Amino acid sequence: MARAPRRHHHHHVYVVELSERVWNEPAFRRANPEHDILKPCVYVGMTGLDPDLRFDRHMAGVQANRFVLKYGLRLLPQLYEVYNPMPYEAAREMEVELAIALREAGYAVWQA
């Protein structure tokens, strides 16, 4: 009897640290009224690519979030590596859950 092939999970959530200059963007400021100024501003996303490659694509302007393109500094793997990789649906849900958790912890978060 043939076994069904195992599915390879290749989706990831990722977190990009943004320059504090993003705070000058009214939409970003409005989305983060409880921001702890001691915590960084971040972008939370999900991708089917390796997070390093996805970050490079943001910075090259390929399907880039405007805040990452203009203010992106670096990935913060300590905030997301534990969750990766995962199935697509799990990554979609985790993107939202991680953004909420980081915002509740005082981070200023943008999640598209």
Side-chain angles (χ1 to χ4, degrees), residues 29-65:
R29 220 175 24 255
R30 277 193 307 274
N32 293 285
E34 305 296 319
H35 172 50
D36 176 346
I37 62 168
L38 300 177
K39 302 255 175 109
C41 299
V42 298
Y43 171 83
V44 176
M46 63 95 38
T47 182
L49 303 172
D50 177 271
D52 290 315
L53 177 58
R54 183 64 186 105
F55 177 69
D56 291 345
R57 291 176 61 117
H58 272 293
M59 299 311 288
V62 178
Q63 295 178 318
N65 173 271

Side-chain angles (χ1 to χ4, degrees), residues 12-108:
H12 305 268
V13 290
Y14 62 97
V15 179
V16 176
E17 182 179 0
L18 304 173
S19 163
E20 63 188 26
R21 292 186 341 259
V22 73
W23 194 248
N24 294 324
E25 298 277 353
F28 191 90
R29 220 175 24 255
R30 277 193 307 274
N32 293 285
E34 305 296 319
H35 172 50
D36 176 346
I37 62 168
L38 300 177
K39 302 255 175 109
C41 299
V42 298
Y43 171 83
V44 176
M46 63 95 38
T47 182
L49 303 172
D50 177 271
D52 290 315
L53 177 58
R54 183 64 186 105
F55 177 69
D56 291 345
R57 291 176 61 117
H58 272 293
M59 299 311 288
V62 178
Q63 295 178 318
N65 173 271
R66 67 185 175 115
F67 293 141
V68 177
L69 179 62
K70 190 170 181 180
Y71 302 107
L73 299 175
R74 68 189 63 83
L75 289 170
L76 296 175
Q78 67 274 18
L79 297 178
Y80 63 83
E81 277 186 335
V82 66
Y83 306 112
N84 295 327
M86 66 186 90
Y88 174 79
E89 283 301 324
R92 282 188 52 201
E93 292 173 13
M94 181 54 69
E95 176 188 10
V96 174
E97 292 173 15
L98 182 56
I100 291 169
L102 290 173
R103 189 172 278 126
E104 287 175 350
Y107 290 82

Side-chain angles (χ1 to χ4, degrees), residues 2-15:
R3 250 182 25 193
R6 291 181 68 197
R7 296 181 108 178
H8 176 70
H9 302 306
H10 68 274
H11 285 85
H12 305 268
V13 290
Y14 62 97
V15 179

